[in-house]
Amino acid sequence: MNSFKKLRNKYVIWHANHVEIPKFTPSIVVRKKVCFSGRVQKVGFRLELNCIAQRLNLTGWVKNVTDGSVEADLQGEESHIDFLVNCMRSLKRASVKKMTIIDLPIREGEKKFTIVDLD
């Protein structure tokens, strides 16, 4: 890993850990597929989403897509997912031009959130 990427990743993790998580009122557990298009690759987008998702106790995954977008399957309380999506949409070093959200069935037994690498 080159030194710029290491430095960027260090900043991304610092930034994600300093996002203020509000007190949520309990909400229903849902699963959503979210596709983010725009300038969302090579800016630490997946790493930031992963860090915040873990802080929110969400499960699922995030990955880069070959068309330049980022796709995430997010499962957890709906208010937590909405908060995460809004955080990512307002991220200054990225530029989300388009976002699609699809409701999915809950995946029982899922324990963690991960970054999926391209094959």
Side-chain angles (χ1 to χ4, degrees):
M1 186 182 312
N2 69 36
S3 58
F4 172 75
K5 191 172 181 181
K6 282 182 188 173
L7 194 59
R8 184 201 65 206
N9 287 353
K10 195 172 179 180
Y11 169 76
V12 167
I13 291 167
W14 176 89
H15 186 268
N17 286 329
H18 284 81
V19 168
E20 192 172 327
I21 306 290
K23 291 275 188 211
F24 293 101
T25 54
S27 61
I28 62 168
V29 172
V30 297
R31 186 175 191 91
K32 297 182 182 213
K33 178 183 289 290
V34 185
C35 296
F36 299 93
S37 300
R39 188 171 49 89
V40 293
Q41 289 191 14
K42 298 188 183 344
V43 292
F45 195 87
R46 288 179 306 154
L47 181 57
E48 178 117 7
L49 192 148
N50 179 61
C51 291
I52 297 171
Q54 288 182 14
R55 289 183 63 206
L56 292 167
N57 296 314
L58 300 178
T59 62
W61 50 263
V62 62
K63 69 177 181 180
N64 282 340
V65 182
T66 54
D67 68 2
S69 64
V70 170
E71 189 175 278
D73 265 27
L74 308 167
Q75 182 168 298
E77 289 191 40
E78 191 166 33
S79 58
H80 295 200
I81 292 172
D82 292 344
F83 176 80
L84 173 60
V85 167
N86 286 328
C87 281
M88 300 314 294
R89 208 156 80 209
S90 65
L91 200 59
K92 298 286 187 245
R93 70 181 172 283
S95 177
V96 176
K97 299 289 186 206
K98 182 181 171 202
M99 198 175 66
T100 57
I101 302 175
I102 302 165
D103 293 324
L104 297 173
I106 299 292
R107 191 170 291 165
E108 298 294 335
E110 193 172 60
K111 300 274 190 254
K112 61 181 185 167
F113 197 91
T114 59
I115 296 175
V116 177
D117 290 319
L118 287 173
D119 296 327

